[in-house]
Amino acid sequence: MIPWLGSDTPFPDVSKALTEEDGAPGLLAAGGDLSPQRLLDAYCHGVFPWYSAGQPILWWSTDPRMVLMTDRFVISHSLKKTLKKVHNSMRIGGQWQVRFDSAFEEVMRSCAAPRGEGGGTWISEEIVQSYTALHRLGYAHSSEVWLDDVLVGGAYGIAIGKMFYGESMFARVSDASKVALTYLVSFLREHEVKMIDCQQETSHLASLGASPISRAEFLTHLKTAINQPAIERWKVPNLF
């Protein structure tokens, strides 16, 4: 059994999370709320919310943990060609633009849009409102790709100290989410952010250079990173 969180109940130690044998590996607790204070406390302890509509809030701490080390990000040959096209367009004020934090809520809602026939989403209205509140407080950030002033790709996540927690990406044109992620990774690397938390393992993340590490290793890095000075100015970097 997992504990039910009241409004003031602290998270249990992540070592108490369920295992493979329990049928829900990584599940730590249920209940609580999505207030900024609760969310920040969760991320600082390596915990994240993930649940579907109609469920109570479910809190997870997976082991192993999928992470992307910013110095191991993989840029394919085809993506590099796209990045050069976008860069050259930006340099002359052309049809492509990359921006940070100009449309955070729109990025979230685009990530929440159904993908494919019958596709659902875990990004509920409650999640959108809660993370938008974190954005207003300076903790949540978006990387955005625009084509002819239309948002066509993006990624968003949470930054605490020198730790970044990736949440979701979307693309409406080919490679747009990867372009957004590339600019974000480059920016984070410039600001000495070494790790992006990807939470759960997928083949898509692995193709970009992400790999699983133990929860213990993740938490060791986390404890140091979150206590480093926060990034104050989010400015799109120059890749070339």
Side-chain angles (χ1 to χ4, degrees):
M1 292 289 292
I2 59 170
W4 181 266
L5 304 179
S7 58
D8 297 320
T9 310
F11 288 107
D13 190 276
V14 295
S15 64
K16 304 296 184 182
L18 300 186
T19 65
E20 194 77 43
E21 295 178 353
D22 302 311
L27 181 59
L28 180 68
D33 56 49
L34 294 176
S35 66
Q37 295 78 13
R38 173 69 79 174
L39 285 170
L40 292 174
D41 184 53
Y43 283 107
C44 285
H45 287 89
V47 178
F48 61 91
W50 184 46
Y51 63 102
S52 299
Q55 292 181 324
I57 300 170
L58 300 177
W59 300 94
W60 303 76
S61 179
T62 51
D63 186 15
R65 189 82 163 217
M66 194 71 163
V67 301
L68 174 61
M69 307 307 293
T70 55
D71 62 354
R72 298 180 192 171
F73 180 59
V74 174
I75 300 178
S76 66
H77 179 68
S78 61
L79 177 57
K80 192 166 187 177
K81 290 174 62 177
T82 302
L83 289 167
K84 286 185 176 179
K85 177 178 69 175
V86 172
H87 168 77
N88 289 334
S89 177
M90 291 172 64
R91 186 170 51 84
I92 61 173
Q95 61 184 155
W96 290 93
Q97 293 293 320
V98 177
R99 306 171 190 164
F100 285 172
D101 291 340
S102 74
F104 179 85
E105 185 174 339
E106 187 177 351
V107 169
M108 280 203 72
R109 294 191 180 281
S110 298
C111 289
R115 305 183 191 192
E117 196 171 324
T121 180
W122 62 273
I123 306 174
S124 64
E125 182 63 26
E126 185 180 28
I127 290 284
V128 172
Q129 295 300 323
S130 298
Y131 282 71
T132 300
L134 280 181
H135 171 64
R136 289 194 293 266
L137 292 172
Y139 290 102
H141 300 275
S142 59
S143 176
E144 309 147 10
V145 179
W146 299 78
L147 176 60
D148 292 326
D149 286 326
V150 175
L151 182 66
V152 295
Y156 78 93
I158 308 298
I160 302 176
K162 292 290 191 281
M163 185 71 199
F164 192 84
Y165 306 81
E167 288 296 317
S168 189
M169 301 186 295
F170 83 97
R172 296 195 180 108
V173 300
S174 180
D175 281 345
S177 60
K178 293 180 182 178
V179 170
L181 181 60
T182 302
Y183 274 89
L184 177 61
V185 169
S186 178
F187 171 82
L188 293 173
R189 192 164 50 226
E190 285 181 5
H191 289 80
E192 301 180 335
V193 175
K194 298 179 180 179
M195 179 187 288
I196 297 174
D197 176 27
C198 302
Q199 299 175 353
Q200 302 188 63
E201 189 170 356
T202 68
S203 58
H204 175 65
L205 290 169
S207 72
L208 298 173
S211 59
I213 62 173
S214 71
R215 182 165 57 207
E217 185 179 352
F218 173 74
L219 291 175
T220 296
H221 176 87
L222 176 66
K223 288 174 183 176
T224 299
I226 62 174
N227 288 306
Q228 299 300 309
I231 301 170
E232 294 185 358
R233 187 182 181 195
W234 287 71
K235 182 180 179 182
V236 175
N238 187 349
L239 295 188
F240 299 96

